[in-house]
Amino acid sequence: VFYEEELDVPLVLFDQVLDHVLRIDRVLRQPMGHLLLVGDSGAGKTVLSKFVSWMNGLQIFQIKAHSRYGIDDFNEDLRGVMRRVGVDGEKICFIFDEANVLGSGFLEAMNALLASGEVPGLFDGDDYTSLMSACRDSAARDGVIIDSEEELWRRFTGIVQRNLHVVFTMNPSGGEWKNRSTTSPALFNRCVVDWFGSWSPKAMAEVGKEFTIRLDMGDAESVGGSW
């Protein structure tokens, strides 16, 4: 099951969670389906994205940012995930949290990727030559004979657009929210926005009940308590 493969604790599903699951699922089932999940930290944006991706058989990709992680590392990760989709035929959900935006170049690259399925200058020189060779082999395996590099490139970017789903997770209370919403228009033009509000007291009670139901709490009803 999902939580055994991806989480350390069970995933508790209640009505409000299911509302978001259905919204995310509807988008990720569509070609070129991308999401912008907006809510406070700890609201479950990443977990639910992983859950719906798992339900739909999508591989999950997240960058592993560290203190020395820079734009060159990010570009290398982008090249890798795009090759996995456009050449190897994988269907991937790229979950990208705003905490991993360590420079303006990160969002510029993602903005271009959402807008056109490519990032200008990402594949140059030997990287481009290697990519074209791999694309030619991939097309041949699919029974498609393409000689022109321009056609190979169009095929590659078309597959990336269809099968790479990007999920941005952002916190509206962060200081960069306003700037990012204006400087990266594709975040809103190309993404479906899902706002995560605060979970209701009833929802929190359901979570608490799920995690304590197997504990010996005594007779709650006899002391005036109930769920």
Side-chain angles (χ1 to χ4, degrees):
V1 294
F2 170 72
Y3 81 84
E4 291 178 342
E5 296 178 15
E6 301 291 342
L7 302 176
D8 296 327
V9 295
L11 175 64
V12 181
L13 297 177
F14 46 89
D15 289 345
Q16 285 180 278
V17 164
L18 291 176
D19 286 342
H20 290 290
V21 166
L22 291 173
R23 293 170 193 162
I24 296 171
D25 180 66
R26 184 173 65 249
V27 175
L28 294 187
R29 284 177 179 269
Q30 299 174 9
M32 302 174 65
H34 308 297
L35 281 155
L36 173 59
L37 305 184
V38 185
D40 293 336
S41 299
K45 303 183 294 295
T46 299
V47 170
L48 293 187
S49 299
K50 289 182 176 181
F51 177 52
V52 177
S53 299
W54 177 83
M55 287 196 310
N56 285 288
L58 301 177
Q59 299 296 314
I60 298 166
F61 177 79
Q62 293 175 280
I63 65 173
K64 295 182 172 73
H66 48 77
S67 59
R68 296 183 179 180
Y69 191 91
I71 189 63
D72 291 338
D73 301 295
F74 184 65
N75 286 339
E76 185 62 34
D77 280 338
L78 275 184
R79 280 190 287 267
V81 75
M82 290 176 69
R83 285 179 66 103
R84 287 173 59 187
V85 176
V87 176
D88 300 334
E90 294 186 49
K91 295 183 178 182
I92 294 178
C93 178
F94 182 2
I95 302 175
F96 190 46
D97 185 74
E98 68 170 342
N100 292 324
V101 181
L102 304 180
S104 59
F106 287 43
L107 273 186
E108 290 173 6
M110 296 303 294
N111 196 60
L113 180 62
L114 288 177
S116 62
E118 61 180 287
V119 180
L122 187 64
F123 290 95
D124 281 332
D126 291 341
D127 288 326
Y128 181 78
T129 302
S130 174
L131 176 66
M132 289 298 99
S133 176
C135 286
R136 189 173 289 107
D137 293 340
S138 175
R141 287 195 300 270
D142 294 338
V144 180
I145 305 301
I146 302 176
D147 293 324
S148 165
E149 289 190 350
E150 183 179 347
E151 291 182 14
L152 284 171
W153 179 254
R154 282 202 302 267
R155 183 176 188 271
F156 172 75
T157 56
I159 294 173
V160 169
Q161 283 187 301
R162 289 194 303 274
N163 295 331
L164 177 62
H165 302 275
V166 178
V167 177
F168 289 95
T169 59
M170 290 192 173
N171 186 342
S173 60
E176 294 298 317
W177 166 255
K178 183 177 180 181
N179 292 336
R180 287 171 182 166
S181 62
T182 54
T183 59
S184 302
L187 290 182
F188 292 89
N189 297 338
R190 303 283 181 170
C191 294
V192 175
V193 181
D194 185 10
W195 289 84
F196 279 64
S198 300
W199 301 121
S200 68
K202 180 182 179 182
M204 293 294 93
E206 290 180 33
V207 174
K209 180 180 180 181
E210 181 66 28
F211 282 106
T212 59
I213 196 169
R214 293 179 179 83
L215 300 178
D216 183 5
M217 305 289 287
D219 189 351
E221 294 292 343
S222 68
V223 296
S226 68
W227 291 102

